[in-house]
């Protein structure tokens, strides 16, 4: 979750710094609102986050799952149960797409407010 938040923050900063980035054209069926002038941007962002290394073997059957749940629910699990064996840094490059729209007609100065919205679970710009 922290890694995704970092990517969003870095993308917003990068978009602000590169406001005149090369516009891109998407052919994904997404239509811009008819009352706006919109430009699409694509920004590559490299992010590093800490990944945890799973320290127990994969579950073979339901008995392994029950054993895991029993161990993690123990009163003294913080002292005796250690499912993680370490951490490692994970670095990857992501392409973040953004669309910036301005209204075609101005209405009393409210068009100077910028709304930064992120996608839901669909990841397809809807």
């Amino acid at each position: 979750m922290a890694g995704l938040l970092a990517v969003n923050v870095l993308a917003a900063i990068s978009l602000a710094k590169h406001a005149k980035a090369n516009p891109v054209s998407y052919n994904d069926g997404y239509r811009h609102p008819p009352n706006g002038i919109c430009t699409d941007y694509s920004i590559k962002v490299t992010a590093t986050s800490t990944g945890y290394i799973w320290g127990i073997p994969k579950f073979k059957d339901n008995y392994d799952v029950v054993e895991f749940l029993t161990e993690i629910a123990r009163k003294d699990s913080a002292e005796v149960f250690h499912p993680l064996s370490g951490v490692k840094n994970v670095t990857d490059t992501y392409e973040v797409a953004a669309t910036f729209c301005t209204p075609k007609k101005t209405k009393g100065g409210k068009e100077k407010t910028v709304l930064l919205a992120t996608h839901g679970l669909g990841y397809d710009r809807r």
Side-chain angles (χ1 to χ4, degrees):
M1 183 73 153
L4 185 58
L5 178 62
V7 168
N8 283 338
V9 170
L10 289 172
I13 292 169
S14 185
L15 182 59
K17 287 182 178 178
H18 300 94
K20 295 185 180 182
N22 293 330
V24 295
S25 176
Y26 293 102
N27 191 11
D28 61 2
Y30 173 76
R31 294 180 359 165
H32 293 121
N35 62 341
I37 301 168
C38 300
T39 305
D40 293 319
Y41 296 92
S42 179
I43 301 164
K44 290 189 185 233
V45 178
T46 301
T48 301
S49 65
T50 302
Y52 293 97
I53 301 169
W54 197 245
I56 60 176
K58 291 183 179 182
F59 301 138
K60 293 179 278 193
D61 52 32
N62 288 342
Y63 295 109
D64 287 347
V65 175
V66 170
E67 181 182 2
F68 172 78
L69 293 174
T70 302
E71 290 295 320
I72 204 164
R74 287 175 53 158
K75 192 173 187 178
D76 62 347
S77 67
E79 291 85 29
V80 298
F81 183 61
H82 306 287
L84 304 173
S85 65
V87 295
K88 64 179 176 178
N89 285 334
V90 179
T91 301
D92 208 345
T93 300
Y94 303 92
E95 186 172 346
V96 179
T99 302
F100 185 78
C101 297
T102 57
K104 287 182 180 178
K105 295 181 181 178
T106 59
K107 289 185 178 181
K110 291 184 180 180
E111 62 278 351
K112 294 181 181 179
T113 301
V114 175
L115 173 65
L116 177 62
T118 61
H119 57 74
L121 294 175
Y123 302 108
D124 65 354
R125 301 171 57 99
R126 284 188 230 177

